[in-house]
């Protein structure tokens, strides 16, 4: 199935980790600033792909800060891609483009110094195939950055959906279906498994960017980078 695991948006954040878009003090998740910090840590990339980019706030922000870096956003949902293209044209950002692309297959062209995949692997059953596809798109000496569900994410989600009880039975069913890969444990990863799948060692992205202690850096939202 080409678009396995495709969803229409922010369900993971709306459910199990919705509160994590904000920090403990209500500050928004500074996703672009952290990736900017990562650029300085590993050296400025010439090209960046964001897979499962959604509304692409990170791409829009960093494309404006770094006009010489080529940014390309991919999402499984065509309407998201169309809206992003329109916005990029309005903003006059010539170094930012968008295309439809879905993991686990990710039938896209080109390689990128940095491939970034935040908040999308949670929806994909065949997460190992997705990881290989993402890593394949990393240029030599480049880097793959991604967050992923681990066994703690699964526990969190199971508790969260369980606690919702009968308040919205139909949406509950929809959410269970959407997050079936995590609830079933199908796409639950660990550092060890990532190393086995990619043949390279994952390292903590949160540590690399010196991220603050916040709900979104908790142990049930691991984010790593893997060099090539
Ligand atoms: C929670 S949003 C994350 C958006 C963005 N990466 C961010 O950090 O704000 C998840 C996005 O992944 C996309 N998505 C879900 N399943 C996907 C798949 N199999 N392949 C590519 N994108 C997918 C959704 O359409 C959605 O836009």
């Amino acid at each position: 199935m080409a678009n396995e695991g495709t969803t229409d948006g922010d369900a993971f954040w709306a459910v199990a980790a919705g509160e994590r878009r904000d920090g403990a003090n209500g500050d928004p998740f500074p996703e672009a600033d952290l990736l900017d910090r990562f650029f300085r840590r590993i050296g400025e990339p010439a090209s960046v792909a964001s897979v499962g980019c959604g509304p692409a706030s990170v791409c829009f922000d960093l494309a404006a800060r770094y006009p010489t870096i080529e940014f390309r956003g991919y999402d499984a949902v065509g309407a998201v891609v169309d809206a992003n293209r329109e916005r990029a044209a309005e903003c006059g950002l010539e170094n930012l483009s968008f295309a439809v692309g879905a993991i686990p297959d990710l039938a896209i062209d080109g390689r990128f110094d940095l491939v970034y995949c935040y908040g999308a692997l949670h929806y994909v059953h065949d997460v190992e195939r997705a990881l290989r596809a993402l890593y394949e798109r990393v240029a030599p000496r480049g880097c793959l950055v991604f967050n992923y569900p681990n066994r703690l994410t699964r526990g969190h989600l199971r508790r969260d959906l369980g606690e919702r009880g009968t308040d919205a039975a139909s949406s509950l069913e929809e959410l269970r279906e959407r997050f079936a890969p995590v609830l079933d444990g199908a796409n639950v990863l660990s550092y060890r498994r990532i190393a086995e799948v990619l043949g390279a060692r994952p390292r903590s992205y949160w540590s690399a960017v010196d991220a603050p202690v916040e709900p979104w850096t908790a142990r049930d939202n691991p984010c790593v980078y893997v060099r090539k």
Side-chain angles (χ1 to χ4, degrees):
M1 193 169 28
N3 287 358
E4 173 198 12
T6 297
T7 77
D8 58 358
D10 287 338
F12 181 76
W13 301 106
V15 188
E19 67 276 22
R20 287 153 203 226
R21 278 296 183 182
D22 291 335
N25 300 320
D27 297 330
F29 173 39
E31 198 176 353
D33 291 340
L34 295 178
L35 192 56
D36 194 341
R37 216 181 272 180
F38 192 64
F39 287 179
R40 279 177 268 134
R41 160 93 202 231
I42 61 160
E44 200 177 300
S47 55
V48 176
S50 174
V51 179
C53 65
S57 55
V58 171
C59 292
F60 278 99
D61 193 331
L62 293 180
R65 289 186 212 180
Y66 292 95
T68 59
I69 300 180
E70 281 299 323
F71 288 85
R72 190 144 172 92
Y74 294 95
D75 202 279
V77 178
V80 170
V81 169
D82 290 344
N84 288 343
R85 278 185 179 145
E86 217 169 285
R87 187 177 158 205
E90 280 165 18
C91 298
L93 288 169
E94 290 176 6
N95 59 330
L96 175 58
S97 60
F98 294 94
V100 172
I103 42 177
D105 293 326
L106 202 60
I108 63 173
D109 292 329
R111 294 199 173 185
F112 303 85
D113 290 338
L114 197 154
V115 175
Y116 181 78
C117 182
Y118 197 93
L121 287 171
H122 301 76
Y123 304 118
V124 178
H125 270 98
D126 196 343
V127 75
E128 296 186 2
R129 190 150 60 95
L131 278 189
R132 285 189 204 98
L134 290 165
Y135 200 49
E136 171 61 29
R137 303 271 48 99
V138 177
R141 291 180 294 285
C143 218
L144 169 64
V145 174
F146 60 97
N147 74 332
Y148 63 89
N150 65 8
R151 64 187 173 81
L152 300 172
T153 324
R154 185 184 182 208
H156 183 116
L157 190 57
R158 286 173 96 163
R159 275 195 305 281
D160 191 80
L161 290 183
E163 280 163 13
R164 291 187 163 230
T166 55
D167 64 346
S170 62
S171 66
L172 195 61
E173 267 323 295
E174 191 195 322
L175 291 169
R176 285 199 178 117
E177 198 176 313
R178 192 168 287 182
F179 290 102
V182 182
L183 292 168
D184 297 347
N187 63 0
V188 165
L189 288 167
S190 63
Y191 268 56
R192 178 185 292 189
R193 191 64 199 137
I194 293 165
E196 285 166 0
V197 171
L198 298 182
R201 188 176 155 200
R203 293 165 197 271
S204 169
Y205 175 77
W206 299 138
S207 300
V209 296
D210 210 8
V213 176
E214 289 284 4
W216 39 265
T217 53
R219 289 173 59 222
D220 59 357
N221 185 31
C223 189
V224 297
Y225 68 98
V226 184
R227 287 186 186 274
K228 198 162 198 180

